[in-house]
Amino acid sequence: MALSWDDLAGLALARQFPSAALDVPSAVAAIGAMQTQTARSAFLGLASRFPGTTRDEVTAAYETGAIVRGSTIRGTVHTTTPRSFADLGSATAVGQRTLWDRMLRLERSSVDDLWSATEAYASTWRTTDELQDHLQRWLVEHEGADEVTGRLGQAGRYLAFGHGGLVRRPVNGDWAGQGAPEYAHLPGVGTIEAAIELHLRCHGPASRHDLAWWSGMGLRVVDEVLAAIDTRVGLMTADGPDDRTYVDLPDAAAPRAIDGVRLLPEFDALMCAYDPAGRLRFAEAAHLVRLWSGANGLVLPPLLVDGRITGYWRAAGSSRRRPLEVTWFARTRRPRKDELDEPVAALEAGLGITVSSVTITRELV
């Protein structure tokens, strides 16, 4: 069997946009980890998929620990369930190990020793500065003072908390804002097999390149994990439109068409769950280049029209009342003004704002 880009899109959309109404923890479990280094992305991602989800509901799920946020796969911030966080942490430990080894060049100890010490220190909430001080003290104690010089710099702030074992919360209590975080260890044992199965369940079908890009693990490791999963559950395989082989779980949901307009968050899974070449299932190549800036790594919030990413949007400012600017790419279907009523209502509920005006603009790409 061969799959087209439209086939791949329909199968993935069925998982990313469940038809059932779900509470916030169940919704996050259903759609998988959300990339949320932009804090509002979790609120927007849930509101766009489950209209009516409110800012207070998402905040409450964070506050109770029903969902958690932390630096995991690829060193990026993700929001997920505690169970999946442990699995993502196991993939992070594999995918980020080479970077840590290269940056720290430990001679008398190992990064595993450092990670264990960091988690013990973060048995209570710690600020970024406290974790960085702990890292430097640990290196002095275990590697010698002379070995620390020139080894940290700005990277030390990331190395102090980015190994995948610490969750974070905003010091000021605003989960939708970009305030300073503090960190604590979340105990749990995960597996890289479960991490790869999570991707297939929530984003599949996927190529080995998709799985490697998303997880941050190398292709060889991904191949080994897929072989183990195949032995256990029997993976489905199919040829894709790009001469790559796509794999999926045997009980995958049937394809689903998504009609109408959705306002997705920056770093949405329709962009970030796939290898760059695999994102063609949702958007044209030229549009992807416009949405994702190679200079600073930022992603414009995508506009989804009938299951295709065909533009972007902005709700600029920090006040409770904000104008909404929707931009659609030329030679795609123009979203109608009345089609924006529901996504605007979802946006308002998810962020707790009021949209003061809506403009629609075409952009040549």
Side-chain angles (χ1 to χ4, degrees):
M1 180 180 69
L3 297 172
S4 67
W5 287 124
D6 287 343
D7 293 331
L8 290 169
L11 288 163
L13 290 170
R15 298 161 221 213
Q16 281 297 294
F17 293 85
S19 56
L22 301 172
D23 61 21
V24 169
S26 300
V28 174
I31 66 175
M34 296 179 289
Q35 192 165 326
T36 52
Q37 64 261 45
T38 302
R40 70 175 194 165
S41 291
F43 295 78
L44 291 170
L46 289 167
S48 64
R49 288 162 168 80
F50 304 93
T53 301
T54 68
R55 177 174 178 150
D56 288 345
E57 289 171 339
V58 180
T59 296
Y62 274 127
E63 290 288 349
T64 60
I67 61 174
V68 295
R69 180 190 297 168
S71 295
T72 54
I73 49 175
R74 305 188 313 280
T76 55
V77 181
H78 280 75
T79 290
T80 188
T81 63
R83 167 66 264 182
S84 292
F85 184 82
D87 297 323
L88 296 183
S90 67
T92 307
V94 173
Q96 296 286 294
R97 185 178 298 273
T98 299
L99 172 65
W100 284 63
D101 285 338
R102 184 173 66 248
M103 295 186 70
L104 292 176
R105 303 188 302 279
L106 301 179
E107 297 178 357
R108 306 175 191 174
S109 51
S110 70
V111 293
D112 294 289
D113 297 328
L114 172 56
W115 292 341
S116 295
T118 300
E119 291 169 1
Y121 178 69
S123 59
T124 59
W125 290 100
R126 303 289 186 178
T127 67
T128 305
D129 288 340
E130 288 174 329
L131 287 169
Q132 188 174 19
D133 289 344
H134 172 265
L135 171 62
Q136 184 149 338
R137 292 195 307 270
W138 189 92
L139 288 172
V140 169
E141 178 182 353
H142 292 84
E143 295 291 309
D146 293 339
E147 297 300 320
V148 177
T149 304
R151 202 175 289 185
L152 296 179
Q154 284 298 111
R157 296 186 71 82
Y158 166 71
L159 293 179
F161 60 78
H163 71 284
L166 307 184
V167 294
R168 60 193 284 176
R169 70 181 184 185
V171 175
N172 65 6
D174 181 9
W175 286 92
Q178 292 297 110
E182 58 185 3
Y183 299 83
H185 174 50
L186 181 67
V189 178
T191 69
I192 57 177
E193 278 193 31
I196 293 299
E197 284 192 65
L198 174 69
H199 184 282
L200 293 176
R201 176 170 55 82
C202 298
H203 308 292
S207 70
R208 58 197 288 266
H209 299 84
D210 292 329
L211 293 164
W213 194 95
W214 174 82
S215 69
M217 299 188 295
L219 288 170
R220 179 185 59 79
V221 175
V222 167
D223 289 341
E224 292 173 353
V225 173
L226 287 175
I229 296 174
D230 186 33
T231 298
R232 181 163 48 82
V233 303
L235 292 173
M236 308 294 291
T237 63
D239 295 329
D242 51 359
D243 296 324
R244 290 177 174 176
T245 298
Y246 283 77
V247 298
D248 206 353
L249 297 173
D251 57 349
R256 183 185 179 197
I258 302 296
D259 297 325
V261 177
R262 309 285 181 119
L263 302 176
L264 303 180
E266 47 274 276
F267 305 106
D268 190 80
L270 299 196
M271 298 277 290
C272 294
Y274 306 97
D275 176 74
R279 296 168 194 158
L280 291 174
R281 71 177 73 190
F282 295 120
E284 301 296 327
H287 299 165
L288 291 167
V289 171
R290 176 69 181 93
L291 291 167
W292 197 311
S293 171
N296 55 22
L298 296 180
V299 181
L300 295 172
L303 171 72
L304 191 72
V305 177
D306 299 337
R308 297 285 295 172
I309 296 173
T310 59
Y312 58 92
W313 63 274
R314 291 189 178 97
S318 57
S319 65
R320 294 295 293 267
R321 289 180 58 84
R322 305 179 201 175
L324 174 66
E325 303 169 6
V326 175
T327 301
W328 59 286
F329 297 136
R331 297 178 298 278
T332 67
R333 184 172 81 74
R334 183 188 191 278
R336 301 187 309 273
K337 196 75 171 283
D338 65 300
E339 289 182 294
L340 289 167
D341 291 344
E342 289 188 10
V344 166
L347 171 66
E348 291 178 323
L351 289 186
I353 65 171
T354 298
V355 172
S356 56
S357 62
V358 177
T359 58
I360 304 175
T361 306
R362 186 182 70 160
E363 179 176 308
L364 297 175
V365 178

